[in-house]
Amino acid sequence: MNAIISASDLAKDLVGARPPVLLDIRWQLTAAKAAGEPPFDGRAAYEAGHLPGAVYVDLERELASSPGKAGRHPLPDLAHFGTAMRRAGVSSGTPVVVYDGGQGWAAARAWWLLRWTGHPDVRVLDGGLPSWEGSLDTSVPAPAEGDFVPEPGAGLLDADAAAALARSGVLLDARAGERYRGEVEPIDPVAGHIPGAVSAPTTENVGADGRFLPVGELRARFEGLGVTEGSRVGVYCGSGVSAAHEVLALAAAGLPAELYVGSWSEWSSDPDRPVAVGPDPQ
């Protein structure tokens, strides 16, 4: 099963025999808070217009737990996550399509969580809401309660496992290159990267339209970063959101990868963890 779906294919599926549950995960990590401006309001954006039948899911409250030593977006309490998914109408036997405002990071976080906890059929709308050519709706649906019960599976890294993977496999850093090199750090307490990690900004997995590059180009990109068939691959970012987008890009290219959810926000908060700077992984 492909991890992504085009807007045209989604339109067909919505009128087909097994229409998917739609989840709207609009969210932004912006500098607005630091500038004293109101933060992005995903629910307000959703209420102003969303795909017909879509249910809003709050990344900060339902796809993550409170910030702390485990990072800025730690894993959510799974009971709370399961309640949110069932409220949205998610069932184990029903396809799910997630989308966001176009960046793809928040939708990928929802995709990864659902896949990691056992849902067999989840895809991300390629290009997000801007790719949708149909009408939008402002009504808030009340779907029937779903039956999905999350059960954690494989594919999750903690800090120690990420450090080990940087030596034994391929650990990709999905943040912007200047953050990896330690030239700037606008959010976390220390600049730099996990020793041994390879710089692989997730923004380079998409084209100017925000849609993923063709599979051949994605595979060529990851091969150039050291990922080959059979490689054990891990990904981290600042707080486990944009890294989920890179895991999604890898999945689209047929290359499985693990996610370090705590990411740099957890790693850099521990003064005993080593930090590398500059363009060299070490």
Side-chain angles (χ1 to χ4, degrees), residues 7-245:
S8 58
D9 284 346
L10 175 57
K12 294 174 185 175
D13 285 359
L14 287 173
V15 295
R18 294 179 68 233
V21 171
L22 293 177
L23 304 181
D24 185 309
I25 325 284
R26 270 180 277 182
W27 169 88
Q28 288 180 13
L29 176 63
T30 68
K33 295 179 184 178
E37 300 172 6
F40 175 79
D41 188 336
R43 179 169 288 279
Y46 165 82
E47 292 175 350
H50 53 265
L51 268 63
V55 176
Y56 176 70
V57 174
D58 191 314
L59 184 148
E60 301 280 355
R61 295 178 175 84
E62 296 171 320
L63 304 183
S65 54
S66 299
K69 290 184 178 180
R72 281 183 278 109
H73 292 105
L75 287 175
D77 174 82
L78 289 188
H80 179 67
F81 172 65
T83 297
M85 293 299 97
R86 291 189 294 275
R87 170 193 60 81
V90 174
S91 291
S92 296
T94 304
V96 178
V97 172
V98 293
Y99 71 92
D100 57 25
Q103 188 179 46
W105 297 4
R109 171 73 174 222
W111 167 84
W112 181 85
L113 272 169
L114 282 164
R115 295 290 292 146
W116 176 65
T117 54
H119 199 289
D121 190 350
V122 190
R123 289 172 290 176
V124 172
L125 176 59
D126 197 14
L129 187 65
S131 70
W132 182 251
E133 296 182 354
S135 61
L136 298 180
D137 195 0
T138 57
S139 63
V140 177
E145 183 88 358
D147 65 15
F148 179 68
V149 178
E151 297 287 347
L156 175 67
L157 298 173
D158 61 13
D160 289 339
L165 185 53
R167 303 299 182 188
S168 63
V170 182
L171 182 65
L172 301 178
D173 185 319
R175 299 173 301 159
E178 58 269 24
R179 291 183 69 191
Y180 170 89
R181 295 188 296 271
E183 297 165 2
V184 297
E185 182 43 68
I187 305 171
D188 294 314
V190 179
H193 60 268
I194 296 174
V198 177
S199 180
T202 200
T203 52
E204 295 179 14
N205 295 319
V206 299
D209 59 0
R211 302 181 193 187
F212 282 104
L213 299 175
V215 168
E217 292 183 28
L218 286 174
R219 288 185 69 90
R221 179 184 187 228
F222 291 124
E223 286 173 1
L225 294 168
V227 178
T228 58
E229 292 284 352
S231 296
R232 188 179 174 201
V233 184
V235 188
Y236 75 96
C237 58
S239 65
V241 178
S242 66
H245 188 265

